[in-house]
Amino acid sequence: MKLKRTFVFTSLILSGVALLSLSTILEGCKSKTNAPYKLTGNVIADGEHLVKIHCTKCHSLVPAEALTKDVWRMHTMPSMAHYFGIGTYGQSFYKQTGKETADTTLMTIVEWQAMVDYYQKIAPDTLTPAKKPSPLLNDWAGFTLKRSAATNDIAFTTMVAANPSTGNIYTSELVSNTLTEWDSQLKVKTVTSLPSAAVHANFIKDANGADKAMLSCIGRIDPVDFASGKIYSANLTGKLSTDEVAIDLPRPVQTLSADFDKDGKNELIVLGQGFTKGGVYMVKLGANGKAEKQFTVTDRPGAVQAVAQDFNKDGYPDLMVLFGIADEGLSLFLNDKKGGFKSRELLHFPPVNGSTSFQLEDIDHDGNPDLIYTCGYNFRDSRILKPYHGLYIYKNTGDFNFKQSWFYPINGATKAIAADFDKDGDLDIATIAFFADMKNNPAEEFIYFEQTKAMEFKAHAVPVSKYGRWMNMDVSDINKDGKPDIILGNYASGFLFQPNFSPNWDEHQPFIVLQNGINK
């Protein structure tokens, strides 16, 4: 059976940070290849079998224990019901829309009720918090706080990015749709307008060696099928200015630059998250620096983050892409040297993960790049704290076959960046969590993981939660002292998911810098 997949989701990806909410419309998911299932009357056996048949056609199986009884009954199942031809109050979706009978090739009411009963029988009343492998240490871990100039308005920082060649910091803001350049004292230096908020900056050099940045301007921040996103080129040498490069893109969230066809000119790879339509696109530039041709690498919406690298060592750059909706997972797109790519699925994750970021680094020094992965988007129908959200390390056992080797639970983990912060020869990791347990444990909003021994980490909860709510992060040696510093961007209002909680952080601080003063 061939399935046509269309995804409907609410999303916000800012500076490589994924914020996703989804439902899945199944078109053509009629059980033509499955023989009719005869109910046995066993709640667990019947429900489990039906879930495996119907709920794995477009994404990995979500274990019943991944959500609570109430969430399954009141949120997740109702949100999925009509996609299987099931209406409310026991009526068929088709009857509600004027048809006399339900299309039972999708699912019968009796089968649907068997699935609902299964979740009510098996799912827990509450989710038990995961046990941390090491306690959180509340200290500054050698970092010093530097605060940007405040604003009179509420900060909706959609991007923080430091130019590695100059140390200058660039931010973008949702309401004003601006690009702001900040000086070494973290004061506003220059501001220029953008067509919409930038959510990612890719720093490059032009043919003359001048600093430029490819900006992904998302267009409509809300999830709509209206391709108003644009790619702008920012001239960072001399007077700050911007030029239009590409238009009519479905909510672009990241732009990469590399010579994929080996013609001596770089192409752009644009992640268009979209809504029900989106994809990953290759854009060829003309002599004037503007888009000339566009090719689709994949029409799968919901890409979170990508890395361009020659993964198979054949001299041509490839792509690795993390998708954070529905059929969540990590995919490798190998360059076929003919202008296209061949895809290979590396990992699949259930849609409750809310995949948010990844990085490839050789953590264990065996010559193979390992996977550092975060999941924790938590603004879907199931807005409860989840013990499987957090920071993961997957060992690369060879040829990008990944096996989980380490996990640290962090509610709402949003991004991780690995670097040798303490200059001891191994990699440490900085994390942010936009959907942290802000009510009971705001310390987990920013955690610095100091690697003390091979694959052993000391977790430092640096006390910065009162200065903002961190949606985006970048790492760069801003003061040029040889040590990587950390920039945290404050998206100060909205996306609250915990009841009886009001923001208790600074809403007027666009960003902060954690200056690295670690001495060993």
Side-chain angles (χ1 to χ4, degrees), residues 87-101:
T88 57
Y89 303 106
Q91 287 187 317
S92 159
F93 171 73
Y94 294 92
K95 285 184 179 180
Q96 289 181 356
T97 55
K99 295 185 178 181
E100 292 299 324
T101 59

Side-chain angles (χ1 to χ4, degrees), residues 216 231 246 249-256 268-273 279-283 294:
S216 301
I231 306 303
L249 291 161
R251 304 179 65 249
V253 295
Q254 185 183 9
T255 302
L256 302 175
L268 302 181
I269 291 291
V270 179
L271 304 191
Q273 187 187 1
V280 178
Y281 309 102
M282 177 184 289
V283 178
Q294 180 174 305

Side-chain angles (χ1 to χ4, degrees), residues 355-373:
S355 300
T356 48
S357 78
F358 82 102
Q359 187 177 352
L360 297 172
E361 293 288 351
D362 186 6
I363 292 286
D364 55 10
H365 302 287
D366 67 351
N368 292 322
D370 305 301
L371 174 68
I372 301 168
Y373 162 80

